[in-house]
Coordinates of all heavy atoms in Angstrom, one line a residue:
M79 N 79.2 111.7 -71.5 CA 80.4 111.1 -71.0 C 80.1 110.0 -70.1 O 79.3 110.1 -69.2 CB 81.3 112.2 -70.3 CG 82.6 111.7 -69.8 SD 83.5 113.1 -69.1 CE 84.7 112.1 -68.2
T80 N 80.8 108.9 -70.2 CA 80.5 107.7 -69.4 C 81.7 107.5 -68.4 O 82.9 107.7 -68.8 CB 80.4 106.5 -70.3 OG1 79.6 106.8 -71.4 CG2 79.8 105.3 -69.5
L81 N 81.3 107.2 -67.2 CA 82.4 107.0 -66.2 C 82.7 105.5 -66.2 O 81.8 104.6 -66.2 CB 81.9 107.4 -64.8 CG 81.8 108.9 -64.6 CD1 81.3 109.1 -63.2 CD2 83.1 109.6 -64.8
H82 N 84.0 105.1 -66.1 CA 84.4 103.7 -66.1 C 85.1 103.5 -64.8 O 85.9 104.3 -64.4 CB 85.3 103.4 -67.3 CG 84.6 103.5 -68.6 ND1 83.7 102.6 -69.1 CD2 84.6 104.5 -69.5 CE1 83.3 102.9 -70.2 NE2 83.8 104.1 -70.5
L83 N 84.8 102.4 -64.2 CA 85.5 102.0 -63.0 C 86.8 101.2 -63.4 O 86.7 100.3 -64.1 CB 84.6 101.1 -62.1 CG 83.5 101.8 -61.3 CD1 82.7 100.9 -60.5 CD2 84.1 102.9 -60.4
I84 N 87.9 101.6 -62.8 CA 89.1 100.9 -63.1 C 89.5 100.1 -61.9 O 89.6 100.7 -60.8 CB 90.3 101.9 -63.4 CG1 89.8 102.7 -64.7 CG2 91.6 101.2 -63.7 CD1 90.8 103.9 -65.0
P85 N 89.6 98.8 -62.0 CA 90.0 98.0 -60.8 C 91.4 98.4 -60.3 O 92.3 98.6 -61.1 CB 89.9 96.6 -61.3 CG 90.1 96.7 -62.7 CD 89.5 98.0 -63.2
P86 N 91.6 98.5 -59.0 CA 92.9 98.8 -58.5 C 93.9 97.8 -58.8 O 93.6 96.6 -58.8 CB 92.7 98.9 -57.0 CG 91.5 98.1 -56.7 CD 90.6 98.2 -57.9
A87 N 95.1 98.2 -59.1 CA 96.2 97.2 -59.5 C 96.6 96.5 -58.2 O 96.7 97.1 -57.1 CB 97.3 98.0 -60.1
P88 N 96.9 95.2 -58.3 CA 97.3 94.5 -57.1 C 98.7 95.0 -56.6 O 99.6 95.3 -57.5 CB 97.4 93.0 -57.5 CG 97.4 93.1 -59.0 CD 96.8 94.3 -59.4
K89 N 98.9 95.1 -55.3 CA 100.2 95.5 -54.8 C 101.2 94.4 -55.0 O 100.9 93.2 -54.8 CB 100.1 95.8 -53.3 CG 99.2 97.0 -53.0 CD 99.0 97.1 -51.5 CE 97.9 98.2 -51.2 NZ 97.6 98.2 -49.8
P90 N 102.4 94.7 -55.4 CA 103.4 93.7 -55.7 C 103.8 92.9 -54.5 O 104.1 91.7 -54.6 CB 104.6 94.4 -56.3 CG 104.4 95.8 -55.9 CD 102.9 96.0 -55.8
D91 N 103.7 93.5 -53.3 CA 104.1 92.8 -52.1 C 102.9 92.1 -51.4 O 103.1 91.5 -50.3 CB 104.8 93.8 -51.1 CG 103.8 94.9 -50.7 OD1 102.8 95.1 -51.4 OD2 104.1 95.5 -49.7
D92 N 101.8 92.0 -52.0 CA 100.6 91.4 -51.5 C 100.0 90.4 -52.5 O 99.0 90.7 -53.1 CB 99.6 92.4 -51.0 CG 98.5 91.8 -50.1 OD1 98.7 90.7 -49.6 OD2 97.5 92.5 -50.0
P93 N 100.6 89.3 -52.8 CA 100.1 88.4 -53.7 C 98.8 87.8 -53.2 O 98.5 87.8 -52.1 CB 101.2 87.3 -53.8 CG 102.0 87.4 -52.6 CD 101.9 88.8 -52.2
P94 N 97.9 87.3 -54.2 CA 96.6 86.8 -53.8 C 96.6 85.7 -52.7 O 95.7 85.6 -52.0 CB 96.0 86.3 -55.1 CG 96.8 86.9 -56.2 CD 98.2 87.2 -55.6
N95 N 97.7 84.9 -52.7 CA 97.6 83.7 -51.8 C 98.3 84.1 -50.4 O 98.4 83.2 -49.6 CB 98.3 82.5 -52.4 CG 99.8 82.8 -52.7 OD1 100.2 84.0 -52.5 ND2 100.6 81.8 -53.0
S96 N 98.6 85.4 -50.2 CA 99.2 85.7 -48.9 C 98.2 85.5 -47.7 O 98.7 85.3 -46.6 CB 99.7 87.1 -48.9 OG 98.7 88.0 -49.0
R97 N 96.9 85.7 -48.0 CA 96.0 85.5 -46.9 C 96.0 84.1 -46.4 O 95.9 83.8 -45.2 CB 94.6 85.9 -47.4 CG 94.1 87.3 -46.9 CD 92.7 87.6 -47.3 NE 91.8 87.0 -46.4 CZ 90.5 86.9 -46.6 NH1 90.0 87.4 -47.7 NH2 89.7 86.4 -45.7
A98 N 96.1 83.2 -47.3 CA 96.1 81.8 -46.9 C 97.3 81.4 -46.1 O 97.3 80.6 -45.2 CB 96.0 80.9 -48.2
K99 N 98.4 82.1 -46.5 CA 99.6 81.8 -45.7 C 99.5 82.4 -44.3 O 100.0 81.8 -43.4 CB 100.8 82.5 -46.4 CG 101.3 81.7 -47.6 CD 102.5 82.4 -48.3 CE 102.9 81.6 -49.6 NZ 103.9 82.3 -50.3
R100 N 98.9 83.6 -44.2 CA 98.8 84.1 -42.9 C 97.8 83.3 -42.0 O 97.9 83.2 -40.8 CB 98.2 85.6 -43.0 CG 99.3 86.6 -42.9 CD 98.8 88.0 -42.9 NE 98.7 88.5 -44.3 CZ 97.7 89.1 -44.8 NH1 96.6 89.3 -44.1 NH2 97.7 89.6 -46.0
A101 N 96.9 82.6 -42.7 CA 95.9 81.8 -41.9 C 96.5 80.5 -41.5 O 95.9 79.8 -40.7 CB 94.6 81.6 -42.8
S102 N 97.6 80.1 -42.1 CA 98.2 78.8 -41.7 C 98.6 78.9 -40.3 O 98.9 79.9 -39.7 CB 99.4 78.5 -42.6 OG 100.4 79.4 -42.3
K103 N 98.8 77.7 -39.6 CA 99.0 77.7 -38.2 C 100.2 76.8 -37.9 O 100.5 75.9 -38.7 CB 97.8 77.3 -37.4 CG 97.4 75.8 -37.7 CD 96.2 75.4 -36.9 CE 95.9 73.9 -37.1 NZ 96.9 73.0 -36.7
P104 N 100.9 77.0 -36.8 CA 101.9 76.1 -36.4 C 101.2 74.7 -36.0 O 100.1 74.7 -35.7 CB 102.5 76.7 -35.1 CG 102.1 78.1 -35.2 CD 100.8 78.2 -36.0
A105 N 102.0 73.7 -36.1 CA 101.5 72.3 -36.0 C 100.9 72.1 -34.6 O 99.9 71.4 -34.4 CB 102.5 71.3 -36.2
D106 N 101.4 72.8 -33.6 CA 101.0 72.5 -32.2 C 99.8 73.4 -31.8 O 99.2 73.2 -30.8 CB 102.1 72.8 -31.2 CG 103.2 71.8 -31.3 OD1 102.9 70.7 -31.9 OD2 104.3 72.0 -30.9
M107 N 99.4 74.3 -32.7 CA 98.3 75.2 -32.3 C 97.0 74.4 -32.3 O 96.7 73.6 -33.1 CB 98.1 76.4 -33.3 CG 97.0 77.4 -32.9 SD 97.0 78.7 -34.1 CE 98.4 79.6 -33.6
V108 N 96.2 74.7 -31.2 CA 94.9 74.0 -31.1 C 93.9 74.5 -32.1 O 93.7 75.7 -32.3 CB 94.3 74.3 -29.6 CG1 93.0 73.6 -29.5 CG2 95.3 73.8 -28.6
Q109 N 93.3 73.6 -32.8 CA 92.2 74.0 -33.8 C 91.1 72.9 -33.7 O 91.4 71.7 -33.7 CB 92.8 74.1 -35.2 CG 91.8 74.6 -36.2 CD 92.5 75.1 -37.5 OE1 93.6 74.7 -37.8 NE2 91.8 75.9 -38.2
C110 N 89.9 73.4 -33.8 CA 88.8 72.4 -33.7 C 88.6 71.6 -35.0 O 88.6 72.2 -36.1 CB 87.5 73.2 -33.4 SG 86.0 72.2 -33.4
P111 N 88.6 70.3 -34.9 CA 88.4 69.5 -36.1 C 87.0 69.7 -36.8 O 86.9 69.4 -37.9 CB 88.7 68.1 -35.7 CG 88.4 68.1 -34.2 CD 88.7 69.5 -33.7
R112 N 86.1 70.1 -36.0 CA 84.7 70.2 -36.5 C 84.4 71.5 -37.2 O 83.9 71.6 -38.3 CB 83.7 70.0 -35.4 CG 82.3 69.9 -35.9 CD 81.3 69.6 -34.9 NE 81.5 68.2 -34.4 CZ 80.7 67.6 -33.5 NH1 79.6 68.3 -33.1 NH2 80.9 66.4 -33.1
C113 N 84.8 72.7 -36.5 CA 84.4 74.0 -37.1 C 85.7 74.7 -37.5 O 85.5 75.8 -38.2 CB 83.6 74.8 -36.1 SG 84.6 75.4 -34.7
G114 N 86.9 74.3 -37.2 CA 88.1 75.0 -37.6 C 88.4 76.2 -36.7 O 89.4 76.9 -36.9
G115 N 87.6 76.4 -35.6 CA 87.9 77.5 -34.7 C 89.1 77.3 -33.9 O 89.5 76.1 -33.6
R116 N 89.7 78.4 -33.4 CA 90.9 78.3 -32.6 C 90.7 78.8 -31.2 O 91.6 79.0 -30.4 CB 92.1 79.0 -33.2 CG 92.5 78.3 -34.5 CD 93.5 79.1 -35.2 NE 93.8 78.5 -36.5 CZ 94.6 79.1 -37.4 NH1 95.1 80.2 -37.2 NH2 94.8 78.5 -38.6
E117 N 89.4 79.2 -30.9 CA 89.1 79.7 -29.5 C 88.7 78.6 -28.7 O 87.7 77.9 -29.0 CB 88.0 80.8 -29.6 CG 87.8 81.5 -28.3 CD 86.8 82.6 -28.4 OE1 86.2 82.8 -29.5 OE2 86.6 83.3 -27.4
V118 N 89.3 78.4 -27.6 CA 89.0 77.3 -26.7 C 88.8 77.7 -25.3 O 89.2 78.9 -24.9 CB 90.1 76.2 -26.7 CG1 90.3 75.6 -28.1 CG2 91.4 76.8 -26.2
M119 N 88.3 76.9 -24.5 CA 88.2 77.2 -23.0 C 88.4 75.9 -22.3 O 88.2 74.8 -22.8 CB 86.8 77.8 -22.7 CG 85.6 76.9 -23.0 SD 84.1 77.9 -22.7 CE 82.9 76.8 -23.3
E120 N 88.9 76.0 -21.1 CA 89.2 74.9 -20.2 C 88.1 74.7 -19.2 O 87.7 75.6 -18.5 CB 90.6 75.1 -19.5 CG 91.1 73.8 -18.8 CD 92.4 74.1 -18.2 OE1 92.6 75.1 -17.5 OE2 93.3 73.3 -18.4
T121 N 87.7 73.4 -19.1 CA 86.7 73.1 -18.1 C 87.3 72.2 -17.0 O 88.3 71.5 -17.3 CB 85.5 72.4 -18.7 OG1 85.9 71.2 -19.2 CG2 84.9 73.3 -19.8
V122 N 86.8 72.2 -15.8 CA 87.3 71.3 -14.8 C 86.1 70.6 -14.2 O 85.1 71.2 -13.8 CB 88.0 72.1 -13.7 CG1 88.5 71.2 -12.6 CG2 89.0 73.0 -14.2
I123 N 86.1 69.2 -14.3 CA 85.0 68.4 -13.8 C 85.4 67.7 -12.5 O 86.5 67.1 -12.4 CB 84.7 67.3 -14.8 CG1 84.4 68.0 -16.2 CG2 83.5 66.5 -14.4 CD1 84.3 67.0 -17.3
G124 N 84.6 67.9 -11.5 CA 84.9 67.2 -10.2 C 86.0 67.7 -9.4 O 86.6 66.9 -8.6
A125 N 86.3 69.0 -9.4 CA 87.4 69.5 -8.6 C 86.9 69.8 -7.2 O 85.7 70.0 -6.9 CB 87.9 70.8 -9.3
M126 N 87.8 69.9 -6.3 CA 87.6 70.4 -4.9 C 88.0 71.8 -4.8 O 89.0 72.2 -5.5 CB 88.4 69.5 -3.9 CG 88.1 68.0 -4.0 SD 86.5 67.6 -3.6 CE 86.8 66.0 -2.8
I127 N 87.4 72.6 -3.9 CA 87.9 73.9 -3.7 C 88.5 74.0 -2.3 O 87.8 73.7 -1.3 CB 86.7 74.9 -4.0 CG1 87.3 76.3 -4.1 CG2 85.7 74.9 -2.9 CD1 86.3 77.3 -4.8
Q128 N 89.7 74.4 -2.3 CA 90.4 74.5 -1.0 C 91.2 75.8 -1.0 O 92.0 76.1 -1.9 CB 91.4 73.4 -0.8 CG 90.7 72.0 -0.6 CD 91.7 70.8 -0.7 OE1 92.8 71.0 -1.0 NE2 91.1 69.7 -0.3
A129 N 91.0 76.6 0.0 CA 91.6 78.0 0.1 C 91.4 78.8 -1.2 O 92.3 79.4 -1.7 CB 93.1 77.8 0.4
R130 N 90.2 78.7 -1.7 CA 89.7 79.4 -2.8 C 90.5 79.0 -4.1 O 90.6 79.8 -5.0 CB 89.8 81.0 -2.6 CG 89.0 81.4 -1.4 CD 89.2 82.9 -1.1 NE 88.4 83.6 -2.1 CZ 88.3 85.0 -2.0 NH1 89.1 85.6 -1.2 NH2 87.6 85.6 -2.9
K131 N 91.0 77.8 -4.1 CA 91.7 77.3 -5.3 C 91.1 76.0 -5.6 O 90.8 75.2 -4.8 CB 93.2 77.2 -5.1 CG 93.9 78.6 -5.1 CD 95.4 78.4 -4.9 CE 96.1 79.8 -5.0 NZ 97.5 79.6 -4.8
L132 N 91.1 75.7 -6.9 CA 90.6 74.4 -7.4 C 91.7 73.4 -7.3 O 92.9 73.6 -7.6 CB 90.2 74.5 -8.9 CG 88.9 75.2 -9.1 CD1 88.6 75.3 -10.6 CD2 87.7 74.6 -8.4
K133 N 91.3 72.2 -6.7 CA 92.3 71.1 -6.5 C 91.7 69.9 -7.2 O 90.5 69.6 -7.0 CB 92.5 70.8 -5.1 CG 93.0 72.0 -4.3 CD 94.5 72.1 -4.3 CE 95.0 73.2 -3.4 NZ 96.4 73.4 -3.4
G134 N 92.6 69.2 -8.0 CA 92.2 68.0 -8.6 C 91.2 68.2 -9.7 O 91.1 69.3 -10.3
G135 N 90.4 67.2 -10.0 CA 89.4 67.3 -11.1 C 90.0 66.9 -12.4 O 91.2 66.8 -12.6
T136 N 89.2 66.7 -13.4 CA 89.6 66.4 -14.8 C 89.5 67.7 -15.6 O 88.4 68.3 -15.7 CB 88.7 65.3 -15.3 OG1 88.8 64.2 -14.5 CG2 89.2 64.9 -16.7
R137 N 90.6 68.1 -16.2 CA 90.6 69.3 -17.1 C 90.4 68.8 -18.5 O 91.0 67.9 -19.0 CB 91.9 70.0 -16.9 CG 92.0 70.6 -15.5 CD 93.3 71.4 -15.3 NE 93.3 71.8 -13.8 CZ 92.9 72.9 -13.4 NH1 92.3 73.8 -14.2 NH2 92.9 73.2 -12.1
Q138 N 89.6 69.6 -19.2 CA 89.3 69.4 -20.7 C 89.4 70.7 -21.4 O 88.9 71.7 -20.9 CB 88.0 68.6 -20.9 CG 88.0 67.2 -20.4 CD 86.7 66.5 -20.8 OE1 85.7 67.1 -20.8 NE2 86.8 65.2 -21.2
I139 N 89.8 70.6 -22.7 CA 89.8 71.8 -23.6 C 88.6 71.6 -24.5 O 88.5 70.6 -25.2 CB 91.1 71.8 -24.4 CG1 92.3 71.8 -23.5 CG2 91.2 73.1 -25.2 CD1 92.5 73.0 -22.6
I140 N 87.8 72.6 -24.5 CA 86.6 72.6 -25.3 C 86.5 73.7 -26.3 O 86.9 74.8 -26.0 CB 85.3 72.6 -24.4 CG1 85.3 71.3 -23.5 CG2 84.0 72.8 -25.1 CD1 84.2 71.3 -22.5
C141 N 86.0 73.5 -27.5 CA 85.9 74.5 -28.6 C 84.8 75.5 -28.2 O 83.6 75.0 -27.9 CB 85.6 73.9 -29.9 SG 85.2 75.0 -31.2
V142 N 85.1 76.8 -28.2 CA 84.1 77.8 -27.9 C 83.0 77.9 -29.0 O 81.8 78.0 -28.7 CB 84.8 79.1 -27.6 CG1 83.7 80.2 -27.4 CG2 85.7 79.0 -26.4
G143 N 83.5 77.9 -30.2 CA 82.5 78.0 -31.3 C 81.5 76.9 -31.3 O 80.3 77.2 -31.5
C144 N 81.9 75.7 -31.1 CA 81.0 74.6 -31.1 C 80.1 74.7 -29.9 O 78.9 74.4 -29.9 CB 81.7 73.3 -31.2 SG 82.4 72.9 -32.8
M145 N 80.7 75.1 -28.7 CA 79.9 75.2 -27.5 C 78.7 76.2 -27.7 O 77.6 76.0 -27.2 CB 80.8 75.6 -26.3 CG 80.1 75.8 -25.0 SD 79.3 74.3 -24.4 CE 80.7 73.4 -23.8
M146 N 79.0 77.3 -28.4 CA 78.0 78.3 -28.6 C 76.8 77.8 -29.5 O 75.7 78.3 -29.4 CB 78.6 79.5 -29.4 CG 79.6 80.3 -28.6 SD 78.9 81.3 -27.3 CE 78.4 82.7 -28.2
K147 N 77.1 76.7 -30.2 CA 76.1 76.1 -31.0 C 75.4 74.9 -30.3 O 74.7 74.1 -30.9 CB 76.6 75.6 -32.4 CG 77.0 76.7 -33.3 CD 77.5 76.2 -34.6 CE 79.0 76.4 -34.7 NZ 79.6 75.8 -35.9
G148 N 75.8 74.7 -29.1 CA 75.2 73.7 -28.3 C 75.9 72.3 -28.4 O 75.3 71.3 -28.0
E149 N 77.1 72.3 -29.0 CA 77.8 71.1 -29.1 C 79.1 71.1 -28.3 O 79.7 72.1 -28.1 CB 78.2 70.8 -30.6 CG 77.0 70.7 -31.5 CD 77.5 70.7 -33.0 OE1 78.1 69.7 -33.3 OE2 77.1 71.6 -33.7
R150 N 79.4 69.9 -27.7 CA 80.5 69.9 -26.8 C 81.6 69.1 -27.5 O 81.5 67.9 -27.6 CB 80.1 69.2 -25.5 CG 81.2 69.3 -24.4 CD 80.7 68.8 -23.1 NE 81.5 69.1 -22.0 CZ 82.6 68.4 -21.7 NH1 82.9 67.3 -22.4 NH2 83.4 68.7 -20.7
V151 N 82.6 69.8 -28.1 CA 83.7 69.2 -28.8 C 85.0 69.3 -27.9 O 85.5 70.4 -27.7 CB 83.9 69.8 -30.2 CG1 85.1 69.2 -30.9 CG2 82.7 69.7 -31.0
V152 N 85.4 68.1 -27.5 CA 86.6 68.1 -26.6 C 87.9 68.0 -27.5 O 88.0 67.1 -28.4 CB 86.5 66.9 -25.6 CG1 87.8 66.8 -24.8 CG2 85.3 67.0 -24.8
L153 N 88.8 68.9 -27.3 CA 90.0 69.0 -28.1 C 91.2 68.4 -27.4 O 92.2 68.1 -28.0 CB 90.3 70.4 -28.5 CG 89.2 71.2 -29.2 CD1 89.6 72.6 -29.5 CD2 88.9 70.4 -30.5
G154 N 91.1 68.2 -26.1 CA 92.2 67.6 -25.4 C 92.0 67.7 -23.9 O 91.1 68.2 -23.4
Ligands
ZN340 ZN1 84.5 73.9 -33.0

């Protein structure tokens, strides 16, 4: 007797392209143009510290994924 694998039937409420729809993003969401990552961090250059708070300085948004690879991609 031979065993046959039967592929599971697709669920009617989960069409194949639903993953792509879930991956879509609102227009204002930050996304790295180089790697497509959405994890970012904010850096502050040249700030003063007064009463344990940062004052002034230039703030930049940098992609975390690219930073881990040694590249500095500024998103805003
Ligand atoms: Zn990136």
Side-chain angles (χ1 to χ4, degrees):
M79 181 178 164
T80 315
L81 292 177
H82 296 282
L83 286 178
I84 301 172
K89 297 174 188 170
D91 60 343
D92 192 16
N95 62 353
S96 65
R97 258 184 82 192
K99 283 181 183 170
R100 267 185 264 131
S102 68
K103 66 177 183 64
D106 291 341
M107 183 179 283
V108 178
Q109 187 166 18
C110 175
R112 184 174 297 184
C113 73
R116 295 174 185 174
E117 185 176 8
V118 298
M119 57 187 174
E120 188 179 50
T121 65
V122 186
I123 304 165
M126 306 294 216
I127 195 160
Q128 293 172 348
R130 303 176 77 180
K131 286 186 178 176
L132 289 178
K133 303 272 185 183
T136 303
R137 294 178 186 270
Q138 287 185 324
I139 308 291
I140 293 177
C141 172
V142 173
C144 288
M145 181 60 81
M146 296 285 281
K147 290 184 253 173
E149 299 175 61
R150 190 174 191 276
V151 178
V152 178
L153 303 178

